[in-house]
């Protein structure tokens, strides 16, 4: 018996097949029996992930959505509700870092700052307000927001990015208080060093600054992890599965780090 048979999940930023955190979340939920709506800026990438979900026997739908655009977001959510009559899990995973790190705040272009805030902050806000009315109506639901290990401890060159993820943590706590009476759990998951496109980019940037090659730069970070290994998209997906399960029914308003001990509690 799978945990999530008959459940319906929405995952944003889920279009990077095999490597992205969103993909890992989609596949982990699907393997436990959930049907998954895949939302991404890139329609073809969303469809690729949806195809992977279908390959393990679950229904999946792909939507091209800019999470900063509430109209697009709400249209997709409404279509999912029309298809299935409910939303059990909302995973606000879409996020960006490019051009905002590693960089001093006085060197960050204002347009890049605005884009970072729009995706990492407004995108989470849009996702939560798009599903909250339906979950309140259902008297059930799980919302999982993707944060970051650097939301818990500052890192030079990542100040602005860290601040957007700090917003995610406090927003998660507040929304958990607002929705608790409706039997809705709201939590965040904070990935550590996961070899995704984000860390490909950061490794390239830090390599330029330190005269190392990208592999050496990435290893210099993973060497500082107490467990001495990076995390995987599947690791993050496993935490999301737990937070969506009945085993986590009394966990809400928390940010759960999956980082090999890299950051403080």
């Amino acid at each position: 018996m799978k945990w999530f048979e008959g459940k319906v999940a929405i995952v944003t930023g889920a279009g990077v097949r095999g490597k992205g955190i969103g993909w890992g979340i989609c596949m982990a939920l699907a393997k436990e029996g959930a049907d998954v709506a895949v939302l991404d800026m890139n329609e073809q990438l969303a469809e690729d992930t949806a195809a992977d979900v279908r390959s393990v026997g679950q229904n999946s739908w792909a939507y091209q959505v800019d999470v900063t655009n509430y109209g697009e977001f709400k249209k997709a959510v409404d279509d999912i509700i029309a298809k299935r009559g409910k939303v059990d899990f909302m995973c606000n995973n879409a996020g960006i870092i490019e051009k905002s790190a590693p960089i001093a705040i006085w060197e960050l272009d204002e347009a890049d700052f605005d884009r970072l805030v729009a995706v990492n902050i407004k995108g989470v806000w849009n996702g939560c307000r798009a599903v909250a009315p339906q979950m309140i109506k259902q008297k059930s639901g799980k919302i999982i927001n993707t944060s970051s290990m650097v939301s818990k401890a500052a890192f030079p060159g990542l100040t602005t990015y860290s601040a957007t993820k700090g917003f995610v943590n406090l927003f998660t706590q507040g929304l958990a208080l607002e929705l608790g009476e409706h039997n809705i759990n709201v939590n965040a998951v904070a990935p550590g060093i996961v070899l995704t496109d984000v860390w490909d980019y950061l490794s390239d940037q830090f390599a330029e600054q330190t005269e190392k090659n990208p592999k050496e730069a990435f290893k210099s970070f993973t060497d500082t992890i107490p467990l001495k290994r990076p995390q995987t998209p599947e690791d993050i997906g496993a935490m999301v599965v737990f937070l969506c399960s009945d085993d986590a029914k009394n966990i809400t308003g928390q940010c759960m780090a999956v980082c090999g001990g890299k950051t403080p509690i």
Side-chain angles (χ1 to χ4, degrees), residues 191-203:
I193 298 174
V194 186
L195 188 52
T196 61
D197 288 349
V198 167
W199 272 98
D200 284 343
Y201 169 80
L202 287 175
S203 295

Side-chain angles (χ1 to χ4, degrees), residues 70-259:
Y70 181 68
E72 288 185 14
F73 214 141
K74 187 66 164 58
K75 183 178 179 181
V77 170
D78 287 348
D79 188 67
I80 295 158
I81 294 170
K83 283 182 169 70
R84 296 300 302 274
K86 63 176 182 173
V87 177
D88 297 292
F89 313 137
M90 176 74 233
C91 300
N92 292 299
N93 172 73
I96 60 171
I97 195 171
E98 64 268 17
K99 298 184 180 180
S100 71
I103 192 172
I105 62 165
W106 55 91
E107 295 176 343
L108 180 61
D109 183 81
E110 185 174 357
D112 293 330
F113 172 86
D114 289 344
R115 179 63 180 164
L116 185 74
V117 169
V119 176
N120 292 5
I121 292 180
K122 188 178 180 182
V124 173
W125 178 60
N126 278 341
C128 291
R129 68 189 182 118
V131 300
Q134 176 63 32
M135 288 184 171
I136 290 170
K137 180 181 177 181
Q138 297 168 186
K139 286 290 183 179
S140 66
K142 310 274 190 176
I143 296 174
I144 314 294
N145 300 320
T146 299
S147 181
S148 168
M149 68 175 185
V150 297
S151 71
K152 293 172 170 282
F155 190 91
L158 297 173
T159 301
T160 307
Y161 174 79
S162 298
T164 65
K165 294 303 186 176
F167 168 90
V168 170
N169 294 354
L170 196 56
F171 180 77
T172 295
Q173 291 176 23
L175 191 60
L177 296 176
E178 293 179 4
L179 295 179
E181 66 180 294
H182 301 289
N183 191 38
I184 299 166
N185 300 66
V186 187
N187 289 292
V189 59
I193 298 174
V194 186
L195 188 52
T196 61
D197 288 349
V198 167
W199 272 98
D200 284 343
Y201 169 80
L202 287 175
S203 295
D204 288 341
Q205 297 302 307
F206 282 115
E208 289 182 10
Q209 294 179 3
T210 59
E211 298 184 353
K212 297 179 179 179
N213 65 50
K215 287 186 178 179
E216 291 172 335
F218 184 72
K219 188 175 185 300
S220 70
F221 285 102
T222 59
D223 283 347
T224 66
I225 300 172
L227 289 178
K228 302 301 180 186
R229 58 178 177 264
Q231 288 71 64
T232 67
E234 289 84 356
D235 291 331
I236 313 307
M239 176 57 77
V240 172
V241 164
F242 170 68
L243 291 173
C244 288
S245 74
D246 288 341
D247 286 349
K249 64 180 180 294
N250 284 314
I251 299 175
T252 196
Q254 306 302 307
C255 180
M256 312 293 282
V258 184
C259 60

Side-chain angles (χ1 to χ4, degrees), residues 26-82:
C26 287
M27 296 310 295
L29 292 170
K31 287 174 182 178
E32 287 298 335
D35 294 334
V36 183
V38 182
L39 277 58
D40 198 271
M41 280 279 288
N42 186 306
E43 185 176 15
Q44 183 56 57
L45 294 182
E47 181 53 48
D48 289 344
T49 297
D52 287 345
V53 170
R54 295 184 199 113
S55 75
V56 297
Q58 298 306 127
N59 295 313
S60 190
W61 313 273
Y63 295 88
Q64 183 176 21
V65 171
D66 178 353
V67 297
T68 71
N69 184 317
Y70 181 68
E72 288 185 14
F73 214 141
K74 187 66 164 58
K75 183 178 179 181
V77 170
D78 287 348
D79 188 67
I80 295 158
I81 294 170

